[in-house]
């Protein structure tokens, strides 16, 4: 099984937004994260910066940093 932790990079820290992520879908202005036993979570205003399958981490970053 490959379950990942999703974190959002903030100014000076990383905030964990969901544990045991089983799927990620890029949608309009963000991403939709799902797990087996929780309601899906939409994280707006972010993009995927990296996915590391070895460490089990999805790193999301603000779209504002692109500007």
């Amino acid at each position: 099984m490959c379950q990942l932790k999703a974190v959002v990079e903030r100014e000076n820290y990383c905030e964990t937004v969901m544990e045991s992520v089983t799927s990620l879908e890029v949608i309009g202005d963000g991403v939709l994260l799902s797990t087996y036993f929780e309601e899906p979570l939409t994280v707006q205003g972010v993009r995927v910066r990296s996915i590391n399958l070895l460490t089990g981490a999805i790193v999301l970053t603000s779209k504002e940093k692109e500007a």
Side-chain angles (χ1 to χ4, degrees), residues 2-7 9 21-26 31-33 47-61:
C2 184
Q3 296 177 352
L4 307 169
K5 173 172 67 171
V7 299
E9 288 183 326
V21 175
T22 55
S23 70
L24 176 148
E25 181 180 349
V26 177
V31 296
L32 177 66
L33 303 169
R47 65 176 181 83
V48 177
R49 186 175 72 77
S50 66
I51 300 173
N52 187 323
L53 300 177
L54 188 60
T55 62
I58 301 167
V59 179
L60 307 170
T61 189

